[in-house]
């Protein structure tokens, strides 16, 4: 399942310049040198690198050049707040017993639609509709959720690798359900070391109260996806020691799909043709897939 670099990813890197520039209302005169620097960066990359590694450099050029270290900070806080407003409602709708786990897992997967780096359209109302309506539906185009559940029964340590703002509230709902059924399991929740796109950081985890359920760690990077070669020693240790890893989102799939180990599951919505074609599912479909399959 190794996710190799695709040349179409170059376009996404370039488009981030325009997205961020428009978002912060940067003048054209500020955007031009940033585009030139990004093009120079992309001209020199090793095409064996994973896209999160490449995007890490692109993002640094954009934020340094435009003078905004966290251009989506207020939007991340708003999406977290919006999702927290329906957290109690969603929690009350979950079934009792193990079926509640599968419902919470589906909600966590659907929450992956909140992605400022992808090219699909979404807004708060769309998120609400999808999240509220799909809890009880069979949404996974590839569904290894039963395997995940059975492995939770025998796991002593779980690492959940977070992805995006807003989505983290639904991850919290899932972790809460896991903790209620498997009270002895030690749970870590990882975030990015620095702000990148709308990926979660420790600020997001604190805002939604994730620390009440899991030990929060950061991976020590500003890549929009887990790249073990760049990650901190602490993160790699916890990754290796954990019996089970749930990696959320496309960036973590891109960064970790070549890792061969037991108990590594990807939960995401395939939001671009490159990833959906590679996994073998229609675009905008969710998967819960074990990596050694």
């Amino acid at each position: 399942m190794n996710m190799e670099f695709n040349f179409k990813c170059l376009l996404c890197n370039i488009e981030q310049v325009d997205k961020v520039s428009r978002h912060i209302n940067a003048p054209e005169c500020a955007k031009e040198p940033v585009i030139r620097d990004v093009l120079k960066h992309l001209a020199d990359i090793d095409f064996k690198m994973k896209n999160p590694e490449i995007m890490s450099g692109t993002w640094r050029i954009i934020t340094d050049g435009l003078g905004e270290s966290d251009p989506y900070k207020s939007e991340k806080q708003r999406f977290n707040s919006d999702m927290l407003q329906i957290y109690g409602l969603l929690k009350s709708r979950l079934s009792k017993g193990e079926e509640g786990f599968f419902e919470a897992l589906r909600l966590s997967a659907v929450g992956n639609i909140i992605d400022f780096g992808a090219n699909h359209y979404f807004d708060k109302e769309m998120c609400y509709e999808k999240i509220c309506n799909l809890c009880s539906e069979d949404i996974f185009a590839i569904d290894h959720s039963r395997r995940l559940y059975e492995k939770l029964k025998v796991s002593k340590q779980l690492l959940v690798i977070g992805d995006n703002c807003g989505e983290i509230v639904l991850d919290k709902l899932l972790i809460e359900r896991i903790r209620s059924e498997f009270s002895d399991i030690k749970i870590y929740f990882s975030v990015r070391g620095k702000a990148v796109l709308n990926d979660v950081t420790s600020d997001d985890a604190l805002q939604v109260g994730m620390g009440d359920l899991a030990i929060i760690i950061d991976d020590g990077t500003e890549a929009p996806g887990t790249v073990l070669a760049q990650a901190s020693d602490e993160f790699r240790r916890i990754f290796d020691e954990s019996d089970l890893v749930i990696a959320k989102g496309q960036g973590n799939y891109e960064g970790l799909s070549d890792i061969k180990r037991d108990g590594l599951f990807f939960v995401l919505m395939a939001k671009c043709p490159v990833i959906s074609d590679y996994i073998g599912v229609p675009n905008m479909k969710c998967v819960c897939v074990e990596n050694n399959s």
Side-chain angles (χ1 to χ4, degrees):
M1 289 179 66
N2 184 15
M3 182 72 196
E4 297 178 352
F5 179 78
N6 188 296
F7 287 108
K8 293 178 182 178
C9 297
L10 295 174
L11 297 176
C12 285
N13 277 261
I14 295 169
E15 287 172 357
Q16 293 307 317
V17 181
D18 184 57
K19 282 186 177 183
V20 176
S21 298
R22 285 189 287 108
H23 180 72
I24 65 172
N25 296 315
E28 289 296 311
C29 61
K31 184 165 68 174
E32 180 179 338
V34 176
I35 291 176
R36 292 185 182 278
D37 286 343
V38 167
L39 291 173
K40 291 176 184 177
H41 162 62
L42 297 176
D44 293 334
I45 61 171
D46 181 350
F47 289 127
K48 294 181 180 179
M49 294 171 66
K50 301 171 182 179
N51 190 49
E53 294 180 86
I54 297 168
M55 184 64 80
S56 175
T58 297
W59 184 255
R60 196 176 309 115
I61 292 168
I62 293 171
T63 54
D64 287 350
L66 297 177
E68 290 281 351
S69 61
D70 190 2
Y72 295 122
K73 182 176 181 178
S74 61
E75 284 73 17
K76 289 191 291 184
Q77 293 173 341
R78 177 169 54 81
F79 266 94
N80 290 336
S81 178
D82 287 344
M83 291 298 107
L84 284 170
Q85 289 178 19
I86 60 171
Y87 175 81
L89 173 63
L90 295 173
K91 181 178 178 180
S92 69
R93 290 184 177 183
L94 294 179
S95 301
K96 303 294 183 181
E98 68 177 49
E99 182 55 32
F101 162 79
F102 295 109
E103 291 170 353
L105 182 65
R106 291 192 286 268
L107 286 173
S108 179
V110 172
N112 192 228
I113 194 174
I114 304 171
D115 189 342
F116 296 176
N119 289 322
H120 68 288
Y121 172 79
F122 69 93
D123 58 22
K124 181 176 72 173
E125 287 70 27
M126 178 188 293
C127 294
Y128 277 10
E129 180 181 1
K130 285 185 176 293
I131 289 166
C132 291
N133 291 343
L134 294 180
C135 178
S136 60
E137 294 185 17
D138 183 10
I139 65 164
F140 289 123
I142 300 176
D143 187 0
H144 296 162
S145 58
R146 172 56 64 176
R147 297 187 199 176
L148 173 58
Y149 186 77
E150 293 301 320
K151 291 194 174 186
L152 278 166
K153 292 180 179 179
V154 295
S155 295
K156 298 185 182 300
Q157 182 168 302
L158 165 68
L159 169 63
V160 179
I161 303 177
D163 191 25
N164 297 324
C165 69
E167 176 184 354
I168 190 177
V169 175
L170 304 175
D171 297 336
K172 178 185 174 184
L173 193 67
L174 172 62
I175 291 172
E176 189 172 44
R177 174 57 59 146
I178 291 172
R179 183 163 292 288
S180 70
E181 289 202 47
F182 310 101
S183 58
D184 293 334
I185 193 169
K186 187 176 186 179
I187 303 177
Y188 288 92
F189 185 87
S190 76
V191 298
R192 307 297 180 225
K194 295 182 179 179
V196 53
L197 295 171
N198 68 316
D199 286 33
V200 290
T201 64
S202 57
D203 288 343
D204 298 286
L206 292 173
Q207 182 184 354
V208 305
M210 184 64 78
D212 296 335
L213 298 169
I215 301 169
I216 301 169
I217 61 168
D218 73 63
D219 63 8
T221 80
E222 60 179 331
T226 301
V227 181
L228 288 180
Q230 295 182 351
S232 66
D233 291 342
E234 180 192 24
F235 177 86
R236 290 198 302 268
R237 176 182 61 79
I238 292 171
F239 182 89
D240 290 339
E241 290 178 352
S242 295
D243 305 297
L244 198 58
V245 177
I246 300 174
K248 293 292 305 296
Q250 293 188 142
N252 289 322
Y253 177 82
E254 290 177 286
L256 293 173
S257 60
D258 62 337
I259 302 298
K260 302 304 178 186
R261 54 152 291 171
D262 291 334
L264 174 58
F265 287 80
F266 296 106
V267 177
L268 64 128
M269 179 181 287
K271 302 182 291 286
C272 84
V274 171
I275 291 179
S276 58
D277 288 349
Y278 193 83
I279 298 176
V281 299
N283 207 40
M284 301 305 292
K285 290 293 186 180
C286 295
V287 300
C288 173
V289 58
E290 187 175 11
N291 200 45
N292 62 5
S293 302

